[in-house]
Amino acid sequence: MSTQYQDNTDGRLDTAGARSALNPTPPQSAPTSTIPTALTTLITSLSPSSSLHFHLNGRSITLSNPNPHWTLLDFIRAQPSLKGTKLGCGEGGCGACTVVLQVQRRENREDARTRGGRKVKHVAVNACLFPLVGVDGKHVITVEGLGNAEKPHPLQERIAKMHGSQCGFCTPGIVMSLYALVRNAWDGEEGVFRLSERDVEMEGCLDGNLCRCTGYKPILQAAKTFITEDLEGRLVSESDEDEKGMDGVEGGGGSGDDCVDVAASKGTSCGRPGGCCRDSSPSKSSDDATPSEGTQSTEPTSPDSDSASVQVSTTSNLHVDPVSEPASVAKPLKSKENASADAQVEEKTVATSDVPLTSSADKIPQFEFAPYSPTTELIFPPRLRRHAEELLCFQDERRMWLRPVTEQSLLEIMKACPDAKIVSGASETQVETRFKSSEFPVCVYVADITDLNATFLPETEAEIHAMKELTIAANTPLTELEDICKRVCKTLGRRASAIEALRKQLRFFAGRQIRNVATLAGNLATASPISDANPVLLAAGAELHFHHLNGTAISTSRMAVREFFTGYRKTAMEKLPPGSIISSISIPIPPPHIREITKAYKQAKRKDDDIAIVTSGFRIVLSAENTVEDAMLAFGGMGPMTAKAELTNAFLMDKTWFSEDTLSGAMRKLMEDFDLSFGVIGGMAQYRRCLAASMFFRFWHEVVAEFQLGEVPRGIIDEIERDISTGTRDNYNPYEQRVVGKQIPHLSSLRQCTGEAEYVDDIPPQNQELFGGLVLSARAHAKIISIDWEPALMCPGVVSYIDKHSLPKELNIWGSIKKDEPFFADGLVESHGQIIGMVYADSAIEAQRAARAVVIVYEDLPAILTIDEAIAANSFFPHPKMLKKGAAVHTPMEYTFAKCDRVFEGVFRLGGQEHFYLETNAALVIPLEDGAMDVWSSTQNTMETQEFVSSVTGVPSNRINAKVKRMGGAFGGKESRSVPIACLLAIAAKKEKRPMRIMLNRDEDMMTTGQRHPMKIKWKMGVKSDGKLVALDADLYDNAGFSHDMSGAVMDRALTHIDNCYEIPHVFVRGHVCKTNTHSNTAFRGFGGPQAMYFTECIMSTIAEGLNIDIDDLRILNLYKETGRTPFLQQIDQDWHIPIMIEQLKQSSDYEARKKAVATFNSTHAYKKRGISLIPTKFGLSFATALHLNQASARVQLFRDGSVLLHHGGTEMGQGLYTKMVQVAAQELGVPVSQIFTQDSSSYQTANASPTAASSGSDLNGMAVRNACAQLVEDVIIPYREKLGPQADLKTIAAAAYMARENLTAMGFWKMPRIGYEWGNYDEGTQKPMYYYWTQGVGVSEVEVDCLTGDHTVLRTDLLMDVGQSINPAIDYGQVEGAFIQGQGLFTTEESLWSPSSIPLPSTSDSTSISTFHSTSTTSPSPKSSSPPSTSPHGTLLTRGPSTYKIPSFASIPQIFNTSFLRTDLSGNPISWKELRSVQSSKGVGEPPLFLGATVWFALREAVRSAWVGNRGGGGDGDNGGKELGEWKGLECPATCERLRQAVGDGIWNLARVTREKGEGERGWMVRAQE
């Protein structure tokens, strides 16, 4: 089947239903003079084709004259049924857009010459970056091509059933990355998969994919069990794989699917794994496949652990549990005349759901998995094997794309147009286009030129041994180059150390999807100063080969890499003949007798898929006498370009290597080579200098070890390495009921895995819909002098705009608690990214382009960014709340402190955290008659959305239907900040009477929607000499941003969690809400609780160290006991389980033995340190100080056929609320879950719904659902069972009740009892509780730190949570693990940074400057830019994408990750939660576990403190050992690699010291909002 697409003049695809949003009309006014006449003449003479020919999920596609501004993602999402491929970031950093390309690769020179012998590879790529021109001749496979919910691919099914999908937005991309891995592992000749569990986790298959919900553990478990179970019997052993070598495109795979042109080679595989008729040794058919009988439990870390750990069985032949059996419902009532209440109810179509079939054996969940049948996989289309590659050319007035297929043709093009942009993977080009608005009039796609993309090795080992250099074709994909390096190194050993160094750098270069298309030539040409590969190439003495046309002949020239880089992003290409290209790179291989070693190092904020802070390549040649004959040290990240350490290289010549003088002297010379200033672009001056010295320090010792020149201290040459992760869950649930308590997978999980789950931006196009583009402030604080909209209105496709004039002044304001934030800036902007207006146009691209064209003139004002700046300026929102307890109620705290044995005081800070939900904020507003509107919004808060849309449109709430089906993550970030997005669309929709749609880009979302509140505490704690806490006096400050939002409520919860789990008799704490010029910070999972508990534990650590008391003993001593009272006077009741949980977790985790082992390890390792920490948490459940929100309603409708429609006010954001509510209803009504359906959350169905937040979604909505079901049971089901018999099913009862005119709809309601705290009431007798109950938890984490670099890994984490009687343990486990990993990110890698104020706070108000900016353009960098310009506007958010903001990745999770729930007391007796009075005696679990991520931070603190103590005792390194270290300044949070290295505090850190030039007012390059 072939489909042809033709671009019409209006820019829309000529196919029914295809959205025009991503296919904008080319600007008619754009100049064409940018294309040289010589190129136009050349193209005309070559008669290129303008049509792309490719396959999409098995369908043949011909796309004529495609839009030259499209990426592959634009095309895919323009198709009406392909919405599974998501836009998550637009820069190739999250993997949500991953698709697989089936491509042909030639394996040797003969194949390349004859065009035969081509192998099929499955290449995972980022569709958001991949040029559409690159699909010609390829087969594009999206997630929809694998399967659907009715018949999913076994990989999709396994991820769904094993709970690997929560919000689901990232899931299709993860599925596709794994799919590529599996397909590439197939060896058609031997009929086996060359694949192991290691390939999933250790070879970078998933390092280009992010997930914010699951904590990654269930995804990895699903992927690894798919390999060990579904592919069982078809896997080669690891030893066999070692013998075969590693050639797979996706890392760790085999030779890929064999696919040879039929005409060229008869009888060779077509590429279908296990299914080709020409396979010489086909695998077993699916009929012969035997499912595994079960998954073996992970071996416990501690053999004597008493904790039971049961793995989910995956046996087949299961008895189907009634919970998930298909529900039969009745046929329609055919007529009133022939029906009666006693009539036989006929069965009609079976009602099914996507809930996988489940069973339960001994209350342990079991699943049935369909066997993997390789014969069903998509093959490489035979038509494409016959596809003739030809020159392609298509263009509009602004851009031309060319795709030559020979080097000769490329050189002719470059000669005619030397300024043309050469593109291979487009990982740099597309980012510059999207984020920097760069224009590239002529782009030349070169990835399909065989002469430039194919690197071939000699076929025999002898020939490899004879190699004097490795010549790499310039456009060889980095993944293929990585495999080539492995093969060379395996053969040559130490001789190939330079090639091994390059391989090491490639392994952690970007993500797998980018490595699959990126090339060395691109890396070199972009001349990034922080390139991973360039320092290695420079150090190794690599040479570049260039080709250019001399007449019609190809001429060659060479240049050493060391001469190639001339400045920031500049190269010596300008010295070459015009039109020159890099054709190849050669790396010298030394003769066997030469004693040469080359090594490479890299340090980044995160190990995988991160740009470097510092990267280096070192080469040394030693004589027989061990003196230096040649040395080359090269660095990235130490200046504007890849640089040689000139002074150091010269110093090393002729020096004896194994000499302390050589080591210390070289390190001092390095400091001279790289004398960075405090305010250096990129910041981290001292850390970067320290890394340079530390890397050389490690290299020096590695050379000593390899040449056996002397003894090397333990751990000094070993970098941090991970092993394959393992972990357990206690899946035994003694509280399991018929439905409630079962581990039912998320109801949407299968649709999420197949790409069928619909999010807001997936809703089909509406008739005449328009698209919004936000006009955002480029300044943090400024007056708006003028706005010129005319340039935007002149852009093609633009209809109009809205701004402050589009609604009455009194309506231009909103706010969740206090209305103090304008929808549109009115004369003044108070934050970078504040909304000024919105342009709307016929397409999203046109709207965004027009928004950037708006010209705004600003008059700058002083900006306040940090908490300290706000305190100094007395910039606060009113917040008069405080807590008093004990003596603080009536007497000054000084009297109490005077009675204490010791008093400690200090200041702690904690930074903010970006939500980084994978789905950015999106909305769609559809105007209806009578002024009504359907408002689809990615929101947690339908009521607030409804009310503010009602306000701005001037119609009552009963005409505004706010709706949401699901969100791709939220975490509190869509509780309030989603509201203005919907309101803006509503204003425009009312104005134009047309539907309006918007989905924010990632950078827009991060600039506008706020984050977790940065906080600071100034505290004073009095204690007894034994460590007993006596009195706490503290001031807490949070950085609210430019508007109030929910900052006051966040502070309230922070104040009420300042005790964590400890009794403090006398307390006086005060909260302060700082007004600054950052984005308005908002709700985030934990809502102030994690910050406060972090401060508490920091105080406890300070006290323990001050009193020389073991921190664990101090915690136990001060734990609450029953009847104790919190600082807000709430009594600790019988539901207090923390003491029990601490003891249980100590036993199950073997804590005491491991604690001793850590001490032993630290005593024997100077350069690696470990730490271990056990911390408890309690988290209060309820909307704490918004009593009115603690209510919910639900509607249960029983239809005549027996099916049930359930509506409630809760929203689904991945936390499984819909699933839990269906389980509650199914339990109450006595039906399978498949008989109950929830369509969406809608303000028309559930009025006045509280936001789904505060971990109360299940409590509030569950009790309302239960109440509604109870009404139906009491009024209908019980009476009719008495009449019809006890076996009457619901369809029979419903039919009979309908005929008797019974009400089959019930409206349930519930309000949370007992609570009602009153601020300012300090009377224990009259004060009501603030929280309904506590969710409690305990965690233990063990870490290891590399003291030379600050890198770290989490060795093991054990979590024990009290979640009551879980409604769905699998969902709750997912929440616990996901929250923990999110918390781990908060305390380690996640850091928000702003550019510092360029205008200091003045003493007078007349300090201003005037500047003109296009609306959303700033001089801040693109996400991929290595070093932003020094002229960034003050207050610019610098971290606004995955390249600069680092959430945890697959490689960040604990290597051993065990999770369990509280079941029994210390005597083994079951715990009862009967007094809890929550739905099914369960507890809220979304937020409470997040703080346990701090166990990683406190373990890191222990590790680096151990290092500091050792260094203080004289064990330090470098020039001055451990001297001059002074007092330990502690570890700041988050514990980034920079801060960890700083806290180690050794001689190298002191050697690298950078001082601020105070006299010159030197400012740091970045600002943290908590400072």
Side-chain angles (χ1 to χ4, degrees), residues 104 114-120 258-270 278 382-387:
Q104 298 181 94
T114 63
R115 301 178 58 83
R118 292 182 289 182
K119 303 281 186 177
V120 170
D258 290 352
C259 183
V260 181
D261 196 311
V262 178
S265 177
K266 204 170 183 179
T268 308
S269 169
C270 72
R278 293 189 293 273
R383 178 183 297 183
L384 290 183
R385 286 193 229 109
R386 300 187 295 272
H387 175 69

Side-chain angles (χ1 to χ4, degrees), residues 288-303:
D288 297 329
T290 303
S292 166
E293 291 301 317
T295 305
Q296 296 297 318
S297 296
T298 303
E299 288 294 325
T301 304
S302 175

Side-chain angles (χ1 to χ4, degrees), residues 43 46-49 389-393 402-405 409 413:
I43 297 304
L46 295 176
S47 301
S49 170
E389 296 174 338
E390 59 182 333
L391 175 66
L392 297 176
C393 177
L402 293 159
R403 197 284 307 267
V405 294
S409 139
I413 292 170

Side-chain angles (χ1 to χ4, degrees), residues 46-76:
L46 295 176
S47 301
S49 170
S50 62
S51 296
L52 304 181
H53 303 278
F54 60 100
H55 275 61
L56 177 61
N57 294 332
R59 295 178 59 198
S60 176
I61 303 290
T62 296
L63 186 61
S64 299
N65 196 29
N67 190 308
H69 304 279
W70 268 9
T71 63
L72 176 55
L73 179 64
D74 297 332
F75 172 78
I76 291 172

Side-chain angles (χ1 to χ4, degrees), residues 786-817:
S786 65
I787 304 176
D788 184 0
W789 295 92
E790 194 62 27
L793 296 176
M794 294 293 291
C795 291
V798 171
V799 175
S800 188
Y801 69 94
I802 54 173
D803 65 357
K804 66 176 184 177
H805 301 293
S806 302
L807 72 171
K809 187 178 182 66
E810 64 272 14
L811 296 182
N812 186 27
I813 193 164
W814 76 282
S816 291
I817 297 175

Side-chain angles (χ1 to χ4, degrees), residues 1208-1384:
H1208 52 80
T1211 59
E1212 177 61 55
M1213 62 196 86
Q1215 85 282 37
L1217 181 65
Y1218 279 14
T1219 305
K1220 284 186 173 183
M1221 295 303 95
V1222 166
Q1223 285 183 264
V1224 170
Q1227 180 75 34
E1228 297 298 318
L1229 298 175
V1231 298
V1233 295
S1234 57
Q1235 202 159 334
I1236 301 174
F1237 178 65
T1238 300
Q1239 172 62 32
D1240 52 40
S1241 299
S1242 162
S1243 58
Y1244 272 12
Q1245 297 294 337
T1246 309
N1248 309 317
S1250 296
T1252 307
S1255 300
S1256 62
S1258 293
D1259 285 339
L1260 297 176
N1261 294 287
M1263 292 297 276
V1265 169
R1266 193 176 185 187
N1267 177 254
C1269 291
Q1271 296 174 41
L1272 286 177
V1273 170
E1274 182 177 351
D1275 297 343
V1276 178
I1277 296 177
I1278 291 178
Y1280 277 85
R1281 282 225 170 98
E1282 291 175 353
K1283 178 180 179 181
L1284 302 174
Q1287 301 304 317
D1289 57 18
L1290 196 59
K1291 65 176 180 286
T1292 303
I1293 292 172
Y1298 168 75
M1299 296 305 297
R1301 296 183 294 173
E1302 300 282 0
N1303 178 18
L1304 299 183
T1305 297
M1307 197 71 192
F1309 179 79
W1310 188 72
K1311 62 180 180 180
M1312 193 174 283
R1314 296 201 307 260
I1315 60 173
Y1317 181 82
E1318 296 178 5
W1319 288 88
N1321 179 2
Y1322 304 118
D1323 183 352
E1324 294 181 2
T1326 60
Q1327 183 61 277
K1328 292 182 179 180
M1330 181 174 290
Y1331 298 112
Y1332 195 49
Y1333 60 81
W1334 313 102
T1335 295
Q1336 301 152 58
V1338 184
V1340 176
S1341 289
E1342 183 179 353
V1343 302
E1344 183 171 305
V1345 177
D1346 183 341
C1347 296
L1348 287 178
T1349 63
D1351 198 11
H1352 80 273
T1353 186
V1354 183
L1355 299 172
R1356 176 175 171 179
T1357 290
D1358 297 79
L1359 304 178
L1360 176 61
M1361 291 297 301
D1362 170 15
V1363 298
Q1365 297 181 10
S1366 174
I1367 295 173
N1368 187 320
I1371 286 177
D1372 287 347
Y1373 273 127
Q1375 289 291 286
V1376 169
E1377 292 164 354
F1380 174 86
I1381 296 300
Q1382 199 169 61
Q1384 178 184 333

Side-chain angles (χ1 to χ4, degrees), residues 1029-1347:
L1029 305 180
V1030 176
L1032 171 65
D1033 183 89
D1035 287 282
L1036 273 71
Y1037 302 85
D1038 69 7
N1039 189 328
F1042 79 97
S1043 71
H1044 190 276
D1045 196 78
M1046 289 181 278
S1047 300
V1050 169
M1051 178 54 70
D1052 292 345
R1053 183 172 280 271
L1055 292 175
T1056 61
H1057 283 71
I1058 196 62
D1059 55 336
N1060 194 12
C1061 296
Y1062 312 114
E1063 177 86 53
I1064 310 172
H1066 310 286
V1067 176
F1068 185 19
V1069 292
R1070 300 159 296 277
H1072 310 274
V1073 179
C1074 300
K1075 185 180 189 300
T1076 64
N1077 296 117
T1078 70
H1079 48 205
S1080 186
N1081 292 315
T1082 189
F1084 196 145
R1085 196 178 204 168
F1087 206 73
Q1091 296 98 310
M1093 291 185 282
Y1094 164 76
F1095 292 149
T1096 307
E1097 295 300 335
C1098 287
I1099 293 171
M1100 295 293 283
S1101 294
T1102 303
I1103 294 169
E1105 291 161 7
L1107 297 177
N1108 198 24
I1109 296 175
D1110 184 279
I1111 183 63
D1112 295 310
D1113 294 339
L1114 183 68
R1115 290 187 176 111
I1116 295 296
L1117 176 66
N1118 288 287
L1119 284 178
Y1120 276 116
K1121 298 177 176 60
E1122 280 192 37
T1123 73
R1125 288 192 181 270
T1126 67
F1128 48 96
L1129 307 182
Q1130 183 164 342
Q1131 190 169 26
I1132 302 297
D1133 57 19
Q1134 68 271 21
D1135 185 39
W1136 182 241
H1137 299 131
I1138 286 293
I1140 295 172
M1141 296 170 71
I1142 289 177
E1143 289 305 312
Q1144 288 187 357
L1145 191 62
K1146 280 186 175 182
Q1147 294 177 27
S1148 65
S1149 67
D1150 199 18
Y1151 177 70
E1152 295 298 340
R1154 289 168 57 205
K1155 191 174 177 181
K1156 292 177 182 177
V1158 165
T1160 300
F1161 179 92
N1162 289 343
S1163 68
T1164 58
H1165 291 74
Y1167 302 96
K1168 296 284 192 308
K1169 294 296 180 181
R1170 291 183 177 178
I1172 189 169
S1173 179
L1174 182 152
I1175 293 178
T1177 183
K1178 71 168 174 49
F1179 191 89
L1181 267 294
S1182 76
F1183 285 96
T1185 56
L1187 183 64
H1188 63 282
L1189 295 180
N1190 293 288
Q1191 61 174 305
S1193 57
R1195 179 188 296 182
V1196 179
Q1197 296 169 274
L1198 175 58
F1199 289 90
R1200 183 260 172 196
D1201 65 356
S1203 61
V1204 178
L1205 182 63
L1206 171 63
H1207 279 286
H1208 52 80
T1211 59
E1212 177 61 55
M1213 62 196 86
Q1215 85 282 37
L1217 181 65
Y1218 279 14
T1219 305
K1220 284 186 173 183
M1221 295 303 95
V1222 166
Q1223 285 183 264
V1224 170
Q1227 180 75 34
E1228 297 298 318
L1229 298 175
V1231 298
V1233 295
S1234 57
Q1235 202 159 334
I1236 301 174
F1237 178 65
T1238 300
Q1239 172 62 32
D1240 52 40
S1241 299
S1242 162
S1243 58
Y1244 272 12
Q1245 297 294 337
T1246 309
N1248 309 317
S1250 296
T1252 307
S1255 300
S1256 62
S1258 293
D1259 285 339
L1260 297 176
N1261 294 287
M1263 292 297 276
V1265 169
R1266 193 176 185 187
N1267 177 254
C1269 291
Q1271 296 174 41
L1272 286 177
V1273 170
E1274 182 177 351
D1275 297 343
V1276 178
I1277 296 177
I1278 291 178
Y1280 277 85
R1281 282 225 170 98
E1282 291 175 353
K1283 178 180 179 181
L1284 302 174
Q1287 301 304 317
D1289 57 18
L1290 196 59
K1291 65 176 180 286
T1292 303
I1293 292 172
Y1298 168 75
M1299 296 305 297
R1301 296 183 294 173
E1302 300 282 0
N1303 178 18
L1304 299 183
T1305 297
M1307 197 71 192
F1309 179 79
W1310 188 72
K1311 62 180 180 180
M1312 193 174 283
R1314 296 201 307 260
I1315 60 173
Y1317 181 82
E1318 296 178 5
W1319 288 88
N1321 179 2
Y1322 304 118
D1323 183 352
E1324 294 181 2
T1326 60
Q1327 183 61 277
K1328 292 182 179 180
M1330 181 174 290
Y1331 298 112
Y1332 195 49
Y1333 60 81
W1334 313 102
T1335 295
Q1336 301 152 58
V1338 184
V1340 176
S1341 289
E1342 183 179 353
V1343 302
E1344 183 171 305
V1345 177
D1346 183 341
C1347 296

Side-chain angles (χ1 to χ4, degrees), residues 29-324:
S29 59
T32 60
S33 58
T34 52
I35 300 177
T37 303
L39 179 61
T40 304
T41 303
L42 174 66
I43 297 304
T44 302
S45 68
L46 295 176
S47 301
S49 170
S50 62
S51 296
L52 304 181
H53 303 278
F54 60 100
H55 275 61
L56 177 61
N57 294 332
R59 295 178 59 198
S60 176
I61 303 290
T62 296
L63 186 61
S64 299
N65 196 29
N67 190 308
H69 304 279
W70 268 9
T71 63
L72 176 55
L73 179 64
D74 297 332
F75 172 78
I76 291 172
R77 288 193 60 81
Q79 310 314 305
S81 58
L82 299 181
K83 304 302 181 185
T85 309
K86 308 297 186 186
L87 176 62
C89 68
E91 57 176 273
C94 72
C97 64
T98 303
V99 299
V100 170
L101 302 181
Q102 278 187 329
V103 301
Q104 298 181 94
R105 290 277 192 261
R106 297 175 179 88
E107 298 296 299
N108 53 54
R109 288 187 176 86
E110 182 63 21
D111 292 341
R113 186 180 64 82
T114 63
R115 301 178 58 83
R118 292 182 289 182
K119 303 281 186 177
V120 170
K121 300 292 185 182
H122 293 77
V123 182
V125 300
N126 296 117
C128 72
L129 300 179
F130 196 80
L132 184 56
V133 66
V135 303
D136 185 68
K138 301 176 180 66
H139 185 191
V140 181
I141 303 175
T142 71
V143 69
E144 292 88 353
L146 274 60
N148 55 43
E150 294 181 357
K151 191 176 181 181
H153 188 282
L155 183 59
Q156 294 169 319
E157 178 193 42
R158 189 170 285 266
I159 291 175
K161 289 184 177 180
M162 297 188 73
H163 317 289
S165 180
Q166 288 186 20
C167 86
F169 202 82
C170 66
T171 306
I174 291 171
V175 167
M176 297 311 294
S177 289
L178 290 170
Y179 178 75
L181 174 71
V182 173
R183 293 298 304 269
N184 281 320
W186 175 249
D187 186 331
E189 294 182 359
E190 297 189 20
V192 294
F193 286 93
R194 301 194 178 278
L195 193 60
S196 69
E197 291 180 272
R198 179 180 179 83
D199 296 314
V200 173
E201 197 166 350
M202 306 301 291
E203 295 298 327
C205 164
L206 292 170
D207 57 9
N209 293 87
L210 294 176
C211 173
R212 195 55 154 165
C213 297
T214 64
Y216 299 108
K217 177 181 169 183
I219 301 172
L220 290 171
Q221 184 183 18
K224 288 184 283 192
T225 57
F226 175 81
I227 291 172
T228 57
E229 295 177 11
D230 280 347
L231 305 184
E232 185 179 16
R234 291 177 291 216
L235 292 172
V236 296
S237 67
E238 291 189 11
S239 59
D240 290 339
E241 188 164 346
D242 289 340
E243 294 174 7
K244 289 286 182 183
M246 305 177 75
D247 302 321
V249 168
E250 291 302 313
S255 60
D257 295 348
D258 290 352
C259 183
V260 181
D261 196 311
V262 178
S265 177
K266 204 170 183 179
T268 308
S269 169
C270 72
R272 173 181 278 162
C276 179
C277 62
R278 293 189 293 273
D279 283 348
S280 58
S281 178
S283 68
K284 293 190 296 181
S285 69
S286 59
D287 294 336
D288 297 329
T290 303
S292 166
E293 291 301 317
T295 305
Q296 296 297 318
S297 296
T298 303
E299 288 294 325
T301 304
S302 175
D304 58 350
S305 173
D306 294 329
S307 64
S309 174
V310 185
Q311 294 297 311
V312 178
S313 173
T314 57
T315 59
S316 58
N317 303 319
L318 298 177
H319 167 68
V320 178
D321 195 292
V323 67
S324 56

